[in-house]
Amino acid sequence: MASILVLNGPNLNLLGRREPHLYGTMTLDDIEQRVRTQANASRVAIDWLQTNHEGVMIDHIHSVLDQPPSGIIINPGAWTHSSVAIRDALSAIECPFVEVHLTNIHSREPFRAHSYFSDQALAVIAGCGAFGYEFAMITLLANLNQG
Ligand code: CA2
């Protein structure tokens, strides 16, 4: 059975409760529910994490080193623009990852345009809101099926 690890970075637990004009009205729980429904239909196992602590995310990535998932979907949040440490942890895992952003990071403040992840990602999805997670899963499964 294919498996996908979904990683969500800092402040994404606030989705739907603050700044809806920017991030939409769906909560992260709503997004997780949609992703799990999609995964069930495709017979994919989901491991879902949101954390506000960089070390927790790094430790979680390390915990799957020996048995990597089929793919990773990551919205690193603000760590997108700062974290060499999470980039390095992901590099150590032998599976593709898709980088997702709810917003179009290229149409916001200039500092958001740079990502420490994009050059290593199978794909980058930005500006599609919550649909980005679903598009990311489609991309990972298509990539898996291509062998
Ligand atoms: O667009 C995205 O998904 C981001 O990864 C979201 C991050 C931001 O730092 C990145 O540049 C782009 C911020 C997530 C914070 O989410 C909030 C949600 C509601 C209220 C406040 C923050």
Side-chain angles (χ1 to χ4, degrees):
M1 191 183 194
S3 60
I4 293 179
L5 169 60
V6 188
L7 298 170
N8 296 282
N11 298 312
L12 287 163
N13 54 309
L14 297 179
L15 282 182
R17 291 187 279 147
R18 294 277 190 286
E19 304 200 70
H21 58 288
L22 204 51
Y23 296 112
T25 53
M26 247 188 245
T27 66
L28 195 61
D29 285 348
D30 293 335
I31 297 174
E32 177 178 359
Q33 211 58 56
R34 290 177 66 107
V35 166
R36 287 193 182 280
T37 300
Q38 180 191 13
N40 286 342
S42 305
R43 297 177 161 274
V44 173
I46 294 291
D47 177 12
W48 182 279
L49 175 77
Q50 187 279 326
T51 179
N52 296 319
H53 305 278
E54 197 170 3
V56 170
M57 184 168 286
I58 292 168
D59 285 345
H60 196 79
I61 295 169
H62 290 179
S63 77
V64 302
L65 261 179
D66 292 334
Q67 281 188 305
S70 315
I72 295 176
I73 297 171
I74 183 166
N75 182 346
W79 294 330
T80 306
H81 323 295
S82 67
S83 185
V84 177
I86 295 174
R87 173 197 169 94
D88 288 348
L90 274 184
S91 300
I93 306 260
E94 286 179 2
C95 75
F97 71 87
V98 176
E99 176 183 349
V100 171
H101 299 287
L102 298 159
T103 59
N104 178 357
I105 55 175
H106 300 286
S107 68
R108 299 183 61 189
E109 302 97 320
F111 68 83
R112 294 189 200 272
H114 176 261
S115 164
Y116 278 99
F117 299 85
S118 299
D119 63 305
Q120 304 213 321
L122 171 67
V124 181
I125 299 167
C128 301
F131 291 123
Y133 289 76
E134 295 169 51
F135 298 153
M137 191 186 306
I138 292 168
T139 303
L140 283 172
L141 295 182
N143 180 257
L144 204 58
N145 288 334
Q146 278 166 9

